[in-house]
Amino acid sequence: MELEVRHLRALCAIADTGSLHKAARRLGVSQPSLTTQLRRIENFLGGELFSRERSGCRPTPLGRSVLIRGRPLVAEMNALVAEARAAAARTGGPRLRIGSTASRALPGWLRRLRKRLPATDISLQMDVSANALLRMTAAGQLDVAFVHEVEGCPLRRPDGLAARVLLDREPQFVSMALDHPAAAAPVVDLADLAGDRWMVDPTVDGEWDGLNRVLAAAGITPQVLHGDYHTAASLIVVGEAVAPCQPTSGPRDDMAIRPLRGDPLAVRLLLFTRRRGCEELYAAVYEDLVAAYRDAALRSAAYRSWLVRHGSPLLGAPAA
């Protein structure tokens, strides 16, 4: 065995996420495969690189030493690949590589961009991890990244990126079964959900930490189910769980979506770009994103009312 860049990438992913499960998701491999790879790397280097604890994986002194030397090598390789791809792209037509976490503004945003930039090859990279998208943007693998930052859980912002704020505080609503007792009210108190199981996706950066902080402040220690939000929907409709959701979530015949009193859960919506070049293009991309998000927001009666109550500047944005 020889130590390769892919092995260093795996070690960096484990250190960054603090979890073999999360690192495997980021790398697009299975957890058993990553565990086997880590064991082979440790055998090759002759020592344990991570200590496995209940809270996750922590680098050992040997692991920290390897990471200190390995991270610059990974960064250099990423830069080499990004520069080579950029050079190759210059021989073809213009491209716009978009990264995004989940948002109901995406369809309208892409539609506007394709209309504005008909000769541009526009691609979309979705990821549950905002931090992963920021790393890709900083490495030149993406041109822009539209992400959310959970309140109280700041993102790790690489050097060289500029951020535009789409919305400083987007409230998170809650989804529940139609026959949930709390669904009878237009606004829900957290105390009314104290006995419920909460569904969260642990791979979404900051999601569980932010929710846990808010629930703990309310004196609630919930039962927690971990899984993606597609799975969550099927559990919510039958009353097995409740879950935080975006306020732009459209009305559903099989689910109740309600704002939380006092808006204790919130995220910040941000568009990241690289600092140098393409300022005019990025300004247009941001303008189309604002318009698309506004349209998505106004389609939700509950969210539209929230925006009116809070005097949101979104309401003054130009019509699409």
Side-chain angles (χ1 to χ4, degrees):
M1 173 182 167
E2 293 292 334
L3 195 63
E4 303 173 14
V5 174
R6 64 187 177 92
H7 298 138
L8 296 177
R9 283 200 180 97
L11 297 180
C12 290
I14 297 169
D16 289 343
T17 62
S19 159
L20 283 167
H21 172 71
K22 291 182 181 179
R25 285 284 297 271
R26 175 186 294 183
L27 296 167
V29 301
S30 67
Q31 182 174 332
S33 172
L34 181 60
T35 301
T36 300
Q37 185 179 66
L38 174 59
R39 190 178 300 116
R40 291 183 64 201
I41 296 170
E42 290 177 328
N43 289 339
F44 176 73
L45 295 178
E48 191 176 61
L49 301 178
F50 293 92
S51 59
R52 283 68 157 179
E53 303 172 359
R54 290 184 63 185
S55 57
C57 294
R58 290 181 176 272
T60 62
L62 175 61
R64 286 194 292 272
S65 176
V66 171
L67 287 164
I68 288 170
R69 298 292 297 273
R71 285 189 188 278
L73 297 176
V74 172
E76 283 296 317
M77 181 57 73
N78 289 341
L80 184 155
V81 171
E83 289 169 13
R85 286 177 173 170
R90 285 194 289 271
T91 64
R95 294 194 305 169
L96 178 62
R97 298 163 299 171
I98 296 172
S100 181
T101 49
S103 171
R104 284 167 178 79
L106 278 177
W109 188 27
L110 292 175
R111 185 172 62 250
R112 283 175 172 79
L113 287 174
R114 295 193 194 284
K115 184 176 180 180
R116 182 190 290 270
L117 307 167
T120 299
D121 178 15
I122 300 174
S123 62
L124 176 65
Q125 169 79 41
M126 298 291 298
D127 201 303
V128 296
S129 171
N131 285 311
L133 292 171
L134 298 190
R135 286 192 298 272
M136 293 176 70
T137 307
Q141 297 168 304
L142 294 171
D143 299 306
V144 301
F146 174 42
V147 300
H148 67 271
E149 180 179 62
V150 176
E151 196 166 70
C153 303
L155 296 172
R156 297 186 292 274
R157 304 187 183 190
D159 294 334
L161 295 186
R164 294 173 185 256
V165 179
L166 172 65
L167 199 61
D168 200 53
R169 196 170 195 270
E170 180 195 67
Q172 299 299 280
F173 289 2
V174 64
S175 53
M176 65 193 78
L178 282 174
D179 60 356
H180 192 293
V187 179
V188 175
D189 288 298
L190 273 177
D192 295 333
L193 308 173
D196 286 283
R197 288 176 288 273
W198 285 79
M199 187 92 176
V200 293
D201 186 341
T203 63
V204 178
D205 295 327
E207 193 92 344
W208 168 234
D209 290 338
L211 176 62
N212 188 45
R213 175 180 57 82
V214 168
L215 292 178
I220 298 171
T221 305
Q223 293 179 282
V224 180
L225 303 176
H226 293 295
D228 64 86
Y229 286 116
H230 292 294
T231 304
S234 61
L235 296 177
I236 291 167
V237 297
V238 296
E240 284 297 312
V242 299
C245 67
Q246 297 174 5
T248 50
S249 300
R252 292 182 51 152
D253 295 334
D254 58 352
M255 188 185 294
I257 297 171
R258 300 287 185 268
L260 288 166
R261 192 175 307 282
D263 308 312
L265 286 170
V267 302
R268 196 178 189 206
L269 300 180
L270 301 156
L271 181 70
F272 282 89
T273 62
R274 281 171 289 168
R275 287 191 185 280
R276 283 184 260 173
C278 303
E279 284 83 2
E280 186 175 339
L281 171 62
Y282 292 152
V285 167
Y286 175 77
E287 179 185 323
D288 283 347
L289 176 58
V290 171
Y293 182 84
R294 176 177 179 270
D295 282 355
L298 296 183
R299 283 195 293 269
S300 166
Y303 191 26
R304 185 167 60 246
S305 297
W306 187 94
L307 293 169
V308 170
R309 288 199 308 275
H310 289 78
S312 171
L314 274 177
L315 297 174

